[in-house]
Amino acid sequence: MKGAFRIGFGVDSHRFLPQKTNKKLVLGGVKIKGHVGLDSHSDGDVILHALFNALSSAVGEGSIGQSFPDTDSKWKGVNSQIFIQEILSKIKKQKLEIGNVVISLECKTPKISPHEASIKHNLAELLGVPLGCIAIHATSGEGLTSFGKGEGIYGQAVVLLQSKPK
Ligand SMILES: [Zn+2]
């Protein structure tokens, strides 16, 4: 692969399920108690889906929907961490490692700040990077979009990959 650095960018969004639905909200692999889940074939983890898209784009691969189609019952209700593990192994094979990760979320609920530390911790472990390499920002965007109005969550992720030192 050409160049010492590769940048990746990815987005994902899902709508909240009706209030009484039993599906749990999962963000960055962390279960958010007391909040209804997102409507998705898998666990609906917008952070991990946006992150997958960012990681795969950095190595010129397709989006999560192309790699794990929601028409395949194999991925129904699945823990999205397996998607990340799969793309990480491709990244390793190309002798690249993660430099840093930026996650940005837009939603009205849940409030992200009480969960930020545990999400960061989980991402650091999943990606095998120090905590300081991960940033999570969240905004309600002043309620200007359907996400800011509470209909779902929009996630964006940027990653920097770098060649492993020889
Ligand atoms: Zn998704």
Side-chain angles (χ1 to χ4, degrees), residues 36-155:
V36 73
L38 291 159
D39 193 3
S40 164
H41 189 68
S42 68
D43 60 5
D45 193 325
V46 282
I47 291 183
L48 295 188
H49 295 181
L51 184 57
F52 177 95
N53 288 335
L55 291 167
S56 67
S57 71
V59 289
E61 297 265 339
S63 70
I64 194 163
Q66 290 170 295
S67 304
F68 307 98
D70 62 8
T71 47
D72 190 338
S73 60
K74 205 168 138 188
W75 312 121
K76 193 165 165 40
V78 86
N79 181 336
S80 295
Q81 301 194 82
I82 66 160
F83 303 143
I84 300 293
Q85 279 154 358
E86 192 144 323
I87 192 68
L88 283 179
S89 75
K90 284 185 183 171
I91 286 167
K92 259 191 196 155
K93 273 184 203 144
Q94 300 197 33
K95 308 235 179 315
L96 291 162
E97 62 184 12
I98 294 172
N100 70 314
V101 173
V102 182
I103 306 282
S104 177
L105 297 176
E106 185 179 345
C107 58
K108 182 179 182 191
T109 65
K111 288 272 172 272
I112 302 300
S113 51
H115 308 287
E116 190 184 314
S118 46
I119 294 171
K120 261 189 178 178
H121 208 96
N122 196 55
L123 290 180
E125 200 161 293
L126 178 65
L127 300 173
V129 299
L131 277 175
C133 294
I134 300 173
I136 300 171
H137 295 178
T139 178
S140 66
E142 297 189 341
L144 291 170
T145 70
S146 53
F147 302 105
K149 287 183 170 76
E151 290 176 29
I153 306 181
Y154 178 60

Side-chain angles (χ1 to χ4, degrees), residues 12-14 40 49:
D12 192 57
S13 59
H14 291 285
S40 164
H49 295 181

Side-chain angles (χ1 to χ4, degrees), residues 16-25 34-38:
F16 288 123
L17 288 158
Q19 276 304 328
K20 284 181 182 155
T21 314
N22 224 355
K23 191 171 181 175
K24 296 268 182 324
L25 178 63
H35 200 290
V36 73
L38 291 159

